[in-house]
């Protein structure tokens, strides 16, 4: 039996849902599938597999740093068939293309790419009162994901595959946002500038537990320290039940970008959204 490995990163669960349905499609086509969420475990070596899938959310109009690093760290793939799937709340631009390009440089054989929307828990938008792509992935999108798994298996078996055109790159303003949330700034500047309100923090440890890179450590007493391995996923800020964390994304200098993004996405008829009230790490309908 052929074996497929699907490595994905899913912080709030939507990419995981799609990964499971693609796996179901592959299983129906006769594959044994191993699923690995990079958040929870180290991916196994790809050498034992006949098919590789990479799944990721879009963060700041590109793949998150950990996904890019993983794909770059793969050995030469020597014609191994590979597919990519991306979840996005508003605009994905060429985030999926970025992963497909690295895979292709590694010698992988492109056998498919899939994308759909996923509920966008970006804390900046939630603070503005908007949950974009609320309710996604939908039942239909999940059914498409399963069918995509079947079509990937068919392409590996020899059905002709027409590689879709590369996605378009972002326009100037989104490129600027991508630059401002780039790796150098994240590592050397922003990671030092998470602010903790010690009066509000009750040392519950939730932020430490939820950080996907183990970037927050709890020192003597209640002191929390942020390291340099930050994805800017903002889960720590989003989930803190005491609203004790303020990330650099909440700086007023970024507010005009937030307002621009919210205005553009909320006026785009292709994007669903719900009005929400975000407080104490949870959401309710406005
Ligand atoms: C920090 C952060 C940045 C995001 N940036 C983008 C983005 O640039 N474009 C987009 O379409 N969606 C963006 N999203 C939305 C996610 O890509 C989307 O909600 C995805 O479904 C989340 O996947 P997960 O549930 O598997 O973690 C962002 C979400 C977060 C938390
Ligand atoms: S989640 Fe909030 S309250 Fe809990 S330890 Fe982290 S900062 Fe403190
Ligand atoms: S420190 Fe916060 S923003 Fe950075 S990776 Fe961890 S949870 Fe995400």
């Amino acid at each position: 039996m052929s074996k497929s490995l699907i490595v994905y990163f899913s912080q709030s669960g939507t990419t995981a849902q799609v990964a499971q349905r693609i796996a179901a499609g592959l299983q129906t086509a006769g594959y044994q599938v191993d699923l690995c969420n990079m958040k929870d475990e180290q991916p196994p070596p790809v050498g034992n597999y006949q098919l590789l899938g990479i799944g990721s959310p879009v963060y700041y109009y590109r793949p998150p740093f950990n996904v890019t690093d993983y794909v770059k760290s793969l050995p030469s793939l020597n014609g191994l068939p590979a597919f990519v799937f991306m979840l996005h709340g508003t605009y994905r631009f060429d985030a999926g293309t970025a992963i497909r390009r690295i895979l292709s440089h590694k010698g992988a054989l492109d056998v498919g790419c899939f994308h759909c929307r996923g509920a966008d828990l970006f804390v900046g938008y939630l603070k503005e009162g908007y949950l974009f792509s609320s309710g996604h992935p939908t039942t239909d999108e999940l059914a498409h994901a399963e069918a995509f798994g079947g079509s990937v298996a068919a392409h590996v078996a020899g059905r002709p595959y027409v590689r879709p055109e590369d996605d378009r790159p972002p326009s100037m303003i989104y490129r600027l946002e991508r630059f401002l949330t780039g790796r150098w700034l994240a590592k050397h500047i922003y990671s030092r500038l998470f602010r903790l309100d010690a009066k509000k923090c009750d040392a519950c440890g939730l932020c430490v537990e939820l950080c996907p890179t183990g970037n927050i450590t709890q020192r003597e007493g209640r002191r929390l320290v942020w390291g340099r391995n930050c994805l800017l996923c903002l889960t720590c800020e989003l989930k803190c039940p005491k609203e004790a964390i303020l990330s650099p994304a909440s700086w007023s200098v970024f507010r005009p970008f937030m307002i621009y993004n919210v205005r553009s996405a909320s006026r785009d008829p292709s994007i669903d959204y719900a009005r929400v009230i975000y407080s104490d790490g949870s959401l309710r309908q406005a």
Side-chain angles (χ1 to χ4, degrees):
M1 185 187 270
S2 294
K3 284 177 69 181
S4 173
L5 173 65
I6 301 182
V7 178
Y8 61 95
F9 172 58
S10 185
Q11 183 68 340
S12 57
T14 61
T15 312
Q17 285 180 54
V18 169
Q20 279 149 15
R21 293 299 290 269
I22 294 174
L26 287 168
Q27 281 157 351
T28 305
Y31 275 82
Q32 180 196 317
V33 184
D34 291 344
L35 286 157
C36 170
N37 188 348
M38 296 170 60
K39 180 166 79 83
D40 305 319
E41 51 184 327
Q42 278 285 107
V46 294
N48 301 328
Y49 296 91
Q50 289 75 51
L51 174 63
L52 173 66
I54 305 287
S56 174
V58 176
Y59 277 6
Y60 310 104
Y61 316 112
R62 51 168 166 68
F65 306 135
N66 57 341
V67 175
T68 303
D69 287 347
Y70 168 68
V71 182
K72 282 189 173 165
S73 77
L74 289 170
S76 178
L77 295 173
N78 298 321
L80 180 71
F83 63 90
V84 171
F85 56 102
M86 305 294 293
L87 275 280
H88 60 111
T90 55
Y91 301 108
R92 70 178 188 280
F93 296 116
D94 53 0
T97 304
I99 299 182
R100 288 166 71 207
R101 281 207 185 114
I102 306 171
L103 286 170
S104 144
H105 282 133
K106 296 270 172 191
L109 177 70
D110 189 339
V111 286
C113 63
F114 177 85
H115 48 81
C116 74
R117 295 198 185 274
D120 192 337
L121 296 178
F122 179 59
V123 70
Y125 299 163
L126 300 177
K127 284 183 177 177
E128 297 292 333
Y130 286 80
L131 171 58
F132 289 107
S133 295
S134 166
H136 290 257
T138 59
T139 311
D140 272 3
E141 285 166 327
L142 290 171
H144 283 135
E146 190 162 335
F148 169 77
S151 76
V152 163
H155 293 314
V156 177
R159 187 205 285 169
Y161 173 64
V162 182
R163 191 181 190 277
E165 276 183 26
D166 287 350
D167 288 323
R168 70 194 161 96
S171 58
M172 206 55 194
I173 182 129
Y174 296 110
R175 270 187 217 209
L176 179 60
E177 292 184 38
R178 189 156 76 176
F179 169 77
L180 290 173
T181 52
R183 193 190 293 260
W184 192 92
L185 287 167
K187 183 171 180 185
H188 297 287
I189 310 287
Y190 304 140
S191 57
R192 295 160 173 233
L193 296 171
F194 280 79
R195 290 282 165 259
L196 178 72
D197 186 333
K199 287 197 200 101
K200 291 182 179 173
C201 172
D202 66 0
C204 70
L206 188 65
C207 53
V208 177
E209 187 192 318
L210 295 179
C211 174
T213 60
N215 193 46
I216 310 172
T217 41
Q218 205 154 9
R219 298 268 167 87
E220 72 286 350
R222 298 181 159 197
R223 207 161 76 88
L224 295 173
V225 179
W226 274 257
R228 300 289 184 89
N229 188 15
C230 179
L231 304 177
L232 298 181
C233 72
L234 309 183
T235 306
C236 47
E237 180 176 9
L238 171 75
K239 293 288 184 182
C240 173
K242 302 288 175 188
E243 288 188 38
I245 298 171
L246 205 62
S247 75
S250 295
W251 292 347
S252 51
V253 67
F254 292 127
R255 185 95 202 286
F257 290 107
M258 224 63 82
I259 291 169
Y260 175 84
N261 293 352
V262 164
R263 192 173 296 160
S264 307
S266 61
R267 289 177 180 173
D268 185 334
S270 73
I271 302 177
D272 303 330
Y273 65 86
R275 295 305 310 271
V276 292
I277 295 166
Y278 163 78
S279 70
D280 301 333
S282 49
L283 285 180
R284 60 195 161 83
Q285 207 123 28

